[in-house]
Amino acid sequence: LERGDFLLIGATTEYPQTSLNRALISRVRTIELKKLSSDNIENILTNAVNKEKKALPTWIQEKISQYSNGDARSALNYLEILWEGKKDLENITQEELKEILSQNSRHYDKNSDRHYDVISAFIKSVRGSDANAAILWLAVMLDGGEDPMFVARRLVVLASEDIGNANPQGLILANSCLQSV
């Protein structure tokens, strides 16, 4: 790596300076990818519409751009979902569009990266004492078909590692919940 004999290309959602080995960090160049602007997303959607020779009202394109949160892949996925649907996009209402786009954002696959993202968000919400966020992430997992035993086991780990002696009753409560589940 030091001599440049090979290239290391990696991607992470973690902050590289703290999640990678220092020896490795000193030998690599990190590049942060920023969110795309709404104009960038709209240009990508325009190119996709032109390439596929399909129609897409401008206001829908703008809404997709807003919902995609700077992620071209998400924007193209939304576009594909709309094209695959049976709705006539020329006559779709804003409420119908919002419902379609919102349904996709609830996507949860317990066998993919989303599984780890959501359980991580759940644990961080509990750790940060944000009950509303914790309930939201719990609902996303359960609605997506997550095994309640997985969640209960993770709460036991949380109680022993993060709460520990700050509240020894936390582990007892978490174990009782695990047994109940």
Side-chain angles (χ1 to χ4, degrees):
L1 185 65
E2 241 175 271
R3 289 191 317 258
D5 291 344
F6 67 93
L7 296 176
L8 172 67
I9 300 174
T12 180
T13 57
E14 302 292 325
Y15 182 61
Q17 309 316 39
T18 59
S19 63
L20 293 178
N21 180 302
R22 287 183 190 208
L24 186 59
I25 283 290
S26 70
R27 292 168 176 83
V28 298
R29 185 174 84 190
T30 58
I31 300 169
E32 182 180 355
L33 301 177
K34 306 280 186 193
K35 290 182 181 183
L36 296 173
S37 70
S38 292
D39 290 340
N40 294 140
I41 298 289
E42 287 183 37
N43 287 337
I44 290 168
L45 292 172
T46 299
N47 289 340
V49 167
N50 292 339
K51 182 178 179 184
E52 296 295 320
K53 297 182 175 107
K54 295 187 177 184
L56 184 69
T58 307
W59 73 270
I60 293 179
Q61 196 167 322
E62 290 169 359
K63 288 291 182 193
I64 291 175
S65 178
Q66 291 170 2
Y67 271 84
S68 67
N69 195 27
D71 185 348
R73 187 179 45 180
S74 293
L76 292 171
N77 286 341
Y78 285 138
L79 183 61
E80 188 175 5
I81 288 168
L82 289 173
W83 280 343
E84 288 177 357
K86 296 179 173 44
K87 281 277 180 202
D88 174 18
L89 294 182
E90 294 296 328
N91 296 319
I92 194 170
T93 67
Q94 285 198 15
E95 281 303 312
E96 290 170 323
L97 178 66
K98 184 177 179 182
E99 184 177 327
I100 292 168
L101 297 180
S102 294
Q103 283 175 352
N104 188 51
S105 66
R106 281 181 42 202
H107 173 71
Y108 178 79
D109 182 356
K110 64 182 181 173
N111 297 318
S112 73
D113 287 341
R114 180 87 169 130
H115 163 79
Y116 296 106
D117 293 343
V118 173
I119 191 66
S120 177
F122 172 68
I123 295 298
K124 287 176 183 174
S125 299
V126 174
R127 188 181 299 139
S129 300
D130 188 344
N132 290 332
I135 294 296
L136 169 76
W137 293 119
L138 177 63
V140 168
M141 287 187 289
L142 296 178
D143 183 55
E146 185 60 73
D147 182 6
M149 284 296 288
F150 169 74
V151 177
R153 285 192 305 267
R154 289 302 299 260
L155 285 172
V156 169
V157 171
L158 170 84
S160 64
E161 291 179 354
D162 293 333
I163 298 170
N165 288 331
N167 184 353
Q169 295 300 315
L171 183 57
I172 295 169
L173 179 61
N175 271 318
S176 295
C177 290
L178 177 62
Q179 282 184 316
S180 296
V181 171

